[in-house]
Amino acid sequence: MERFDLLIVGGGPIGIACGLEAQKNGLNYLIIEKGPIVNSLFNYPVNMQFFSSSERLEIDNIPFISNEAKPKRNEALEYYRRIVTSNRLKLHLFEKVEAIEKKTEDFKVVTSKNRYLASNVIIATGFYDLPNLLEVPGEELPKVSHYYKDPHFYASQKLAVVGASNSAIDAALECWRKGAEVSLIIRGPEVGKRVKYWVRPDIVNRIEEGSIKAYFNTAVKEIHEKEIVLDTPDGTLVLENDFVLALTGYTPNFEFLERVGIELSEDEKRLPNYNPETMETNINGVYLAGVICGGMETHKWFIENSRIHAKIIIKDILKKKGTEKKS
């Protein structure tokens, strides 16, 4: 089996930042990503615009130039892809990590394609892989999706968008503008407070003028081939429906963390056990980086405030090896 000083699970922006830092410091490393480069960003909606400005999405002080202050998905893909290729980062794509086991001094990392040994492991897997399910009858129908890509698909269709945050609001507005008849189903009394400040007035106006029909304090009860059944404050309501976008958020892969042996808090936050000064978990040699550190608090960590994790982790690994650079 091939052996590395460091194996990084996840090829998103933070995983790439960890690879850059490892490479600069002479560590033998490998990044493993289950999809394409920055898989989560690739699966974002085609027209998505970031909340953060381009300079706040930069890693390793490499300039990120975008047409507007807040870059779009295609610009981010170009930026992170160029970082990987121009720096010739060691990256295996379309390879899924299935198990991480402690074997004497090293970790045995089992993937869908190979097996490796590593002295240290960084888990930087984000939270975009497991959607929060509605858990209602009919959710398994082909008409239901928990990911939104392109508004053109829903043109001239009766579309129910479930959710109140940025992903749901963006989808509702884009699809309405492409000719969909949009119903917005929101569990609470209003549009989510974290909706982008330049988008909120748009959705509020569209709701007030009746272009988009919003159902507040409402939950989905059942989904059928041509209908969606809602539980509203006024009772049960049945709407004609062609497609459902259930954009109710996503969950980190806690089952994977637990299989590795990482301790999680027993409350609803499910916070993983790690030392914020080193990012090392309760397992010596296993580190966390990026949004995965926040458990269910997926709004706590972003690219701009977790890119520093790469330097913190590599510094600790070098310190253990006795090769930390002197400033």
Side-chain angles (χ1 to χ4, degrees), residues 195-249:
V195 169
K196 291 170 280 195
Y197 65 84
W198 66 91
V199 173
R200 174 179 281 277
D202 191 2
I203 187 64
V204 170
N205 289 336
R206 301 295 76 74
I207 291 171
E208 289 181 351
E209 71 187 16
S211 297
I212 293 176
K213 177 63 176 177
Y215 298 89
F216 296 104
N217 299 305
T218 295
V220 177
K221 194 172 183 180
E222 297 176 26
I223 302 171
H224 303 292
E225 286 288 351
K226 290 295 180 180
E227 298 172 329
I228 183 169
V229 182
L230 306 180
D231 186 5
T232 79
D234 298 322
T236 299
L237 177 66
V238 180
L239 300 179
E240 291 184 17
N241 173 259
D242 297 307
F243 290 99
V244 177
L245 278 172
L247 304 178
T248 51

Side-chain angles (χ1 to χ4, degrees), residues 66 77 118 133 153 170 193:
S66 57
L77 292 180
L133 299 178
F153 183 84
D170 284 345
K193 296 185 181 299

Side-chain angles (χ1 to χ4, degrees), residues 234-276:
D234 298 322
T236 299
L237 177 66
V238 180
L239 300 179
E240 291 184 17
N241 173 259
D242 297 307
F243 290 99
V244 177
L245 278 172
L247 304 178
T248 51
Y250 306 92
T251 303
N253 193 338
F254 294 122
E255 190 269 337
F256 175 72
L257 295 182
E258 289 178 317
R259 280 194 284 115
V260 173
I262 296 172
E263 298 171 354
L264 303 174
S265 66
E266 296 183 1
D267 58 15
E268 69 280 358
K269 293 182 180 180
R270 304 288 281 157
L271 296 172
N273 183 349
Y274 71 93
N275 180 352

Side-chain angles (χ1 to χ4, degrees), residues 10-11 32-36 39 92-97 129 253:
I32 297 181
E33 168 57 62
K34 72 174 187 177
N39 180 62
H92 286 188
L93 300 173
F94 301 99
E95 184 172 348
K96 184 178 181 180
V97 174
D129 294 328
N253 193 338

Side-chain angles (χ1 to χ4, degrees), residues 256-307:
F256 175 72
L257 295 182
E258 289 178 317
R259 280 194 284 115
V260 173
I262 296 172
E263 298 171 354
L264 303 174
S265 66
E266 296 183 1
D267 58 15
E268 69 280 358
K269 293 182 180 180
R270 304 288 281 157
L271 296 172
N273 183 349
Y274 71 93
N275 180 352
E277 295 183 0
T278 63
M279 308 308 296
E280 190 172 34
T281 68
N282 55 286
I283 304 173
N284 292 335
V286 176
Y287 299 82
L288 299 182
V291 70
I292 193 72
C293 300
M296 285 299 295
E297 295 182 314
T298 53
H299 60 280
K300 184 175 181 179
W301 293 104
F302 304 95
I303 296 171
E304 58 259 41
N305 67 353
S306 60
R307 53 190 175 182

